[in-house]
Amino acid sequence: MIPNDIKITPQLVAEHGLKPDEYQRFLHLIGREPTITELGIVSAMWNEHCSYKSSKIHLKTLPTKAPWVIQGPGENAGVIDIGDGTAIVFKMESHNHPSFIEPYQGATTGVGGILRDVFTMGARPIAVLDALRFGSPDHPKTRHLVSGVVAGIGGYGNSFGVPNVGGATGFHSRYDGNILVNAMAVGIAKADEIFYAKASGVGKAIVYLGSKTGRDGIHGATMASAEFDDKSEEKRPTVQVGDPFAEKLLLEACLEIMAAGHVDAIQDMGAAGLTCSAVEMGAKGDLGVELDLDKVPCREEGMSAYEMMLSESQERMLMVIKPGHEEAAEAIFQKWGLDFAVVGHTTDTLRFVVKHQGEVMADLPIKELGDEAPEYDRPWIETPPQQRIAPESVAAPHGNAEALKKLIGSPDLSSKRWIWEQYDTLILGNSAVRPGGDAGVIRIEDGPRGLAMTADVTPRYCEADPFEGGKQAVAECWRNLTATGATPLAITDNLNFGNPEKPEVMGQLVGCIKGIGEACKALDFPVVSGNVSLYNETNGVSILPTPTIGGVGVMADVAKHATIAFKAEGEAIVLIGETAGWLGQSAYLATICGREEGAPPPVDLAIERRNGDFVRRLIASGKVTTCHDLSDGGLAVALAEMAMAKGIGATIETLPAGPAHAALFGEDQARYVLTVPAAEADTVIAAAKAAGVPALAIGKTGGASLVLPGEPALAIADLRKIHEDWLPSYMAGKAA
């Protein structure tokens, strides 16, 4: 039991993640020395993870509105209207630090938390995605971390019963001490039945829902707002423990209680647990909150107010219930075997009062806890630009066929089947496109409409030029959706960076946000939700700037979606977009030449839009049989992926101008590869010309090999073996 009258020392303040000036700010706010519970509460509310104190001023510059946006940032998840009274609810969040400390539970609770964010809004989850970044394959911890994280994501998602339809996985030594686990959840709801966290009315009951409170996860949010060092594993007790079966019950109970009309406001207990959820609900409604912790269902004996307020035990909700609905609401939760306890009420005092065993443990101004959180305009330094690398200046160390084999068997570009086959990708029966392509696609309810979703970023571009890298991350997300035939509608972003107190890191964050904002404006692709994860560094080594972009798009007829697999022999292969052979920051330069340098490819957003809109119209017309956007590894890797997807080969007869290795492996943006029936090729190229879109017929499908100009034929079976073998071999301990 932690007594509430502990003397507050500078050391104790520092252990709670507050800087001396922040503590003074708090003292000024309350006019006295806080109790230990109050110190814990402000530590939870004012850490980076909950307050966005380093990023808030920059996030406000992002475009968040569009006619189809029902709810933008500021709630548990973003909501967009897709017509016919249907809304899509989605968000992405990080569980980086917990997953490094305890990979299985860290990843598990990352998935659980993001699913709760979605169903708190009144939506039924229909899909999850994950974007993962691990350290170098030869680092002693990497294999263990991959194994634990993947098992955790699969263990929770599979048990809860939601398909995992896509994502991304990469490896780089800069993530050796700080992996990234970004989880995205997508749900469906009626557009006029969205639930919010804003409480209304005085004297309404505040109800605790779900699983019991334990001592797991205490200081979880504070831990997520700190750098790591060699002793980071000692923070294992700050990692929560998830129970997907309890969460499934919580989902069904919440949706039932919502449908029955009992709910005034609802908020999931995520970061900072009971503290954050209660404060946010009250503050948003301009109300005070009084809690009686004697009523909180606990699974451990002798828990103090401090522990209960800071616990991040999973599968819990806080709800403000409509007057007179308590009994009916409780009956629903009892039916589902979950705790339902009235733990407080709303007041007109604008105070956050916490009582335990007849004593007042905390009495704080509720609005100021959020509104007066520190907000920093931290100094930042623009990332110095790198020189453009001329394609002709890069000598090819290998033949192009050999280089292609090395690339598709490299850690980043090899098949991630070993990962996604551990996930249930088909549960609920609506998956139309499984992982392995540009984007996952699911049927919306009974159809005919479909929903495409993806999550991606190219960190090496963001490191070299944060502004262009931020633009590119959004553009690639938009292209991934477009390549399926979907109309991109909105994004969620997960901004993963190092220590914002370092001007060079803050410069990366500012640059990426500017790039993201510009791309979202140009592509009518607003940001509706997101998460910022800072202090991702260990012993002073920062991760690569990694602003993961998750996007969703809608197609009118899910049956008319495009995939990356070649469909038939004898079809024309058409390259859409301009190829200059850009090798700076390319996978080719890094993997084949051993050089991570140069300016990344520039992103012309007007061209992205023009080319993408054209491709989408073509897919809708039914002329396109296959579509794949070009990204990592350029044209050659895209062709190999298309050939391997169904086992149909291709002969490439014509390449864009310039050195062959640059044309094949350059990563110029705004490009797609299509296949069309041979008889349609001229028509498609003429249509492209009329739309001002560069289009080049480069070859035809057929055979059992991929043949590049002037290179020995590459048997598809051999390519597939190289592509599929690396990850399972590595995880079996055979490769590094």
Side-chain angles (χ1 to χ4, degrees):
M1 189 77 173
I2 301 171
N4 206 40
D5 56 357
I6 293 174
K7 176 70 180 164
I8 307 298
T9 63
Q11 183 183 347
L12 201 54
V13 170
E15 285 170 0
H16 282 75
L18 291 172
K19 301 273 188 343
D21 60 322
E22 292 175 337
Y23 181 63
Q24 288 304 315
R25 184 186 187 103
F26 183 48
L27 285 182
H28 179 73
L29 191 65
I30 63 174
R32 57 176 169 78
E33 184 177 288
T35 66
I36 186 69
T37 302
E38 290 172 333
L39 180 64
I41 287 169
V42 80
S43 156
M45 294 294 297
W46 287 13
N47 63 57
E48 191 72 57
H49 192 77
C50 294
S51 73
Y52 296 91
K53 57 191 177 187
S54 300
S55 56
K56 198 180 289 180
I57 64 165
H58 302 288
L59 295 174
K60 287 175 181 173
T61 64
L62 291 170
T64 59
K65 292 183 168 56
W68 52 90
V69 174
I70 296 174
Q71 176 64 53
E75 271 287 345
N76 287 294
V79 187
I80 58 171
D81 189 338
I82 61 166
D84 296 336
T86 304
I88 298 297
V89 180
F90 67 104
K91 189 184 184 186
M92 180 162 36
E93 278 219 343
S94 59
H95 239 223
N96 305 334
H97 286 53
S99 300
F100 184 77
I101 297 167
E102 214 316 309
Y104 184 90
Q105 292 298 351
T108 286
T109 49
V111 176
I114 198 64
L115 285 167
R116 273 196 312 283
D117 279 339
V118 165
F119 71 77
T120 303
M121 304 291 294
R124 180 172 289 280
I126 53 174
V128 293
L129 303 92
D130 54 273
L132 313 174
R133 297 280 162 184
F134 297 103
S136 170
D138 55 13
H139 189 275
K141 277 189 177 173
T142 299
R143 195 179 276 109
H144 160 72
L145 290 167
V146 173
S147 175
V149 164
V150 171
I153 292 169
Y156 203 99
N158 298 353
S159 303
F160 180 84
V162 64
N164 191 315
V165 298
T169 304
F171 298 84
H172 196 282
S173 59
R174 289 277 290 282
Y175 303 102
D176 282 351
N178 199 124
I179 63 172
L180 301 186
V181 176
N182 295 172
M184 175 174 164
V186 182
I188 190 164
K190 291 189 167 104
D192 58 354
E193 292 181 13
I194 305 296
F195 289 81
Y196 301 96
K198 180 181 176 180
S200 67
V202 174
K204 290 183 179 177
I206 296 173
V207 181
Y208 173 113
L209 309 167
S211 297
K212 288 179 169 57
T213 293
R215 288 187 169 96
D216 55 322
I218 293 172
H219 291 303
T222 306
M223 173 270 291
S225 306
E227 291 180 37
F228 275 174
D229 54 29
D230 292 330
K231 295 181 178 176
S232 59
E233 290 192 1
E234 293 174 7
K235 297 178 179 178
R236 186 167 279 121
T238 61
V239 179
Q240 314 93 322
V241 177
D243 179 350
F245 301 106
E247 179 124 330
K248 174 67 173 169
L249 297 174
L250 185 62
L251 161 74
E252 299 300 342
C254 282
L255 293 183
E256 187 172 335
I257 206 169
M258 290 166 169
H262 303 316
V263 178
D264 177 69
I266 189 163
Q267 173 77 27
D268 93 290
M269 288 195 229
L274 191 52
T275 291
C276 227
S277 52
V279 170
E280 285 182 11
M281 285 171 77
K284 282 180 176 176
D286 293 321
L287 295 166
V289 164
E290 187 169 307
L291 296 180
D292 179 359
L293 298 188
D294 295 346
K295 305 286 179 45
V296 171
C298 292
R299 66 168 184 260
E300 298 181 46
E301 290 186 10
M303 289 189 70
S304 66
Y306 178 92
E307 290 171 322
M308 280 188 260
M309 293 307 296
L310 295 187
S311 165
E312 293 184 11
S313 295
Q314 296 291 287
E315 293 80 46
R316 301 181 302 159
M317 295 277 193
L318 205 62
M319 181 177 79
V320 176
I321 205 156
K322 291 178 180 175
H325 290 243
E326 294 87 350
E327 198 173 309
E330 185 171 7
I332 291 171
F333 266 74
Q334 283 181 344
K335 181 182 82 174
W336 289 100
L338 295 165
D339 278 300
F340 179 104
V342 177
V343 295
H345 59 274
T346 57
T347 69
D348 61 359
T349 63
L350 287 176
R351 305 290 295 179
F352 183 49
V353 179
V354 178
K355 295 178 176 177
H356 188 218
Q357 298 176 351
E359 288 184 49
V360 174
M361 297 293 177
D363 185 350
L364 297 168
I366 197 165
K367 295 281 283 186
E368 287 78 356
L369 271 177
D371 296 350
E372 296 296 319
E375 190 172 309
Y376 298 122
D377 186 0
R378 296 197 184 277
W380 56 276
I381 298 168
E382 193 168 339
T383 303
Q386 295 206 34
Q387 293 295 309
R388 176 181 175 266
I389 295 175
E392 56 276 7
S393 72
V394 178
H398 306 286
N400 293 327
E402 191 61 29
L404 177 58
K405 288 194 289 188
K406 284 184 182 296
L407 278 168
I408 64 167
S410 66
D412 269 12
L413 297 184
S414 64
S415 168
K416 302 305 182 294
R417 183 186 302 274
W418 182 90
I419 293 175
W420 57 259
E421 282 192 340
Q422 296 184 52
Y423 305 154
D424 194 329
T425 60
L426 297 172
I427 195 165
L428 302 181
N430 280 332
S431 303
V433 177
R434 296 173 76 198
D438 286 324
V441 178
I442 60 168
R443 183 176 62 248
I444 298 172
E445 296 181 322
D446 296 329
R449 291 188 301 168
L451 191 73
M453 55 206 86
T454 184
D456 212 344
V457 62
T458 311
R460 61 183 185 273
Y461 293 176
C462 299
E463 169 97 337
D465 186 332
F467 177 66
E468 286 297 328
K471 280 164 61 181
Q472 194 277 338
V474 174
E476 182 164 348
C477 174
W478 192 85
R479 277 202 308 273
N480 284 338
L481 298 172
T482 291
T484 67
T487 302
L489 289 178
I491 70 164
T492 180
D493 57 6
N494 201 147
L495 307 178
N496 308 274
F497 292 82
N499 183 346
E501 295 165 49
K502 295 178 177 176
E504 61 275 16
V505 171
M506 198 64 213
Q508 293 173 340
L509 176 63
V510 171
C512 282
I513 290 174
K514 282 184 177 172
I516 290 167
E518 186 158 308
C520 289
K521 286 189 190 94
L523 299 171
D524 277 341
F525 203 28
V527 182
V528 296
S529 59
N531 170 238
V532 176
S533 174
L534 305 179
Y535 297 93
N536 289 292
E537 56 183 75
T538 300
N539 295 328
V541 178
S542 171
I543 63 162
L544 294 174
T546 312
T548 310
I549 305 296
V552 299
V554 173
M555 57 187 69
D557 184 350
V558 72
K560 291 182 178 174
H561 69 266
T563 66
I564 70 168
F566 289 145
K567 302 299 185 300
E569 306 231 348
E571 294 199 323
I573 304 170
V574 179
L575 172 62
I576 299 291
E578 196 74 50
T579 301
W582 197 283
L583 290 173
Q585 297 299 335
S586 66
Y588 179 90
L589 198 68
T591 304
I592 307 301
C593 306
R595 297 163 56 188
E596 291 188 25
E597 59 190 82
V603 179
D604 186 317
L605 294 162
I607 290 175
E608 284 284 0
R609 182 146 194 173
R610 181 196 70 194
N611 293 4
D613 288 352
F614 173 73
V615 167
R616 209 178 308 108
R617 287 196 301 272
L618 269 186
I619 294 171
S621 73
K623 290 187 171 70
V624 171
T625 52
T626 302
C627 184
H628 194 6
D629 89 303
L630 299 198
S631 54
D632 286 348
L635 175 61
V637 167
L639 289 166
E641 289 171 344
M642 295 164 91
M644 290 185 292
K646 198 171 179 180
I648 295 173
T651 300
I652 305 306
E653 296 148 351
T654 306
L655 288 177
H661 63 296
L664 285 166
F665 301 108
E667 295 180 7
D668 306 85
Q669 300 295 293
R671 296 188 303 159
Y672 304 80
V673 174
L674 316 172
T675 59
V676 298
E680 295 280 358
D682 290 345
T683 309
V684 165
I685 287 171
K689 189 176 180 182
V693 172
L696 179 68
I698 59 172
K700 61 181 185 294
T701 61
S705 300
L706 176 62
V707 183
L708 303 174
E711 297 287 331
L714 294 162
I716 303 302
D718 294 347
L719 287 178
R720 190 180 276 154
K721 183 169 173 27
I722 294 166
H723 187 54
E724 297 280 356
D725 272 6
W726 183 83
L727 189 52
S729 297
Y730 171 69
M731 293 308 296
K734 298 173 187 171

